[in-house]
Amino acid sequence: MEFIGRVNSRKVFYVQVRNNPEWKPALPKRDWVAFTIANKEDEELVRSSVKVCMDKNVSYTCSTGALAGITEDYFDEEIAWRGVDYEMRTKQKYDYEKSPMTTAHKNFGEGFWFASTLANDDNFEIDKVVCLDFTKSKVKKHLIDLVEKINNGWLPSNGDSEVALYDYK
């Protein structure tokens, strides 16, 4: 996990998942935002990574890329399964208010801005954003540029869709 900057009190980290077998133990143990970037060819990586993020007590997920909606669905499905499992084990009702919040963003810049400035959990102080890059083309440079822009007062466009700028074509 690589530190790439800070937005207000939040530290922003970058993890390239595809070719990095050591990414899982590097994740924070709790109270963090997962900003995921995934495209269609990354679906199997996303599917297997959701449980890892949940096991590491992610507080909020913000998904972008062509697979944003499906990534959010995977997180929501895992949250539901964990709720059912809890209810079956304890015979008590699961409190979904304490589950991670999930969002999906078609506008990459807006999604990152939201993850780094507004994503909040009333139960925890979120102080880390971990950018989980599942893509082959990588978006690290774009994220570093966005950190700088946000720190200089930049606000995302109101456009419906804005794709990531990839490091490699």
Side-chain angles (χ1 to χ4, degrees), residues 81-96:
W81 279 116
R82 288 176 185 232
V84 168
D85 179 61
Y86 174 85
E87 290 178 358
M88 291 178 72
R89 282 186 296 105
T90 65
K91 308 296 185 225
Q92 296 177 7
K93 184 125 178 92
Y94 182 73
D95 184 1
Y96 285 94

Side-chain angles (χ1 to χ4, degrees), residues 12-24:
V12 181
F13 298 92
Y14 175 82
V15 176
Q16 189 280 315
V17 174
R18 181 172 289 281
N19 302 318
N20 181 0
E22 299 302 314
W23 72 272
K24 295 173 188 176

Side-chain angles (χ1 to χ4, degrees), residues 1 4 28 38 43 50 55 77 122 135 147 150:
M1 198 163 70
I4 61 169
E43 187 167 359
V50 166
D55 289 345
E77 183 179 87
D122 292 337
T135 69
V147 167
I150 291 168

Side-chain angles (χ1 to χ4, degrees), residues 7 109 112-113 116-117 145-154:
V7 174
F112 180 71
W113 176 83
S116 62
T117 62
D145 289 344
L146 285 172
V147 167
E148 184 178 337
K149 287 169 69 173
I150 291 168
N151 285 329
N152 288 321
W154 174 85

Side-chain angles (χ1 to χ4, degrees), residues 7 9 30 36 41 47 54 56 66 69 73 87 94 98 100 106 121 125 127 130 146-147 157 167:
V7 174
S9 64
R30 61 179 168 73
T36 65
E41 67 271 12
R47 183 187 312 255
M54 294 292 295
K56 292 286 194 159
D73 289 345
E87 290 178 358
Y94 182 73
K98 294 183 179 175
K106 290 183 181 180
D121 186 320
E125 180 67 33
D127 62 354
V130 179
L146 285 172
V147 167
S157 69
D167 297 353

Side-chain angles (χ1 to χ4, degrees), residues 93-105:
K93 184 125 178 92
Y94 182 73
D95 184 1
Y96 285 94
E97 292 293 319
K98 294 183 179 175
S99 294
M101 294 293 298
T102 65
T103 61
H105 304 267

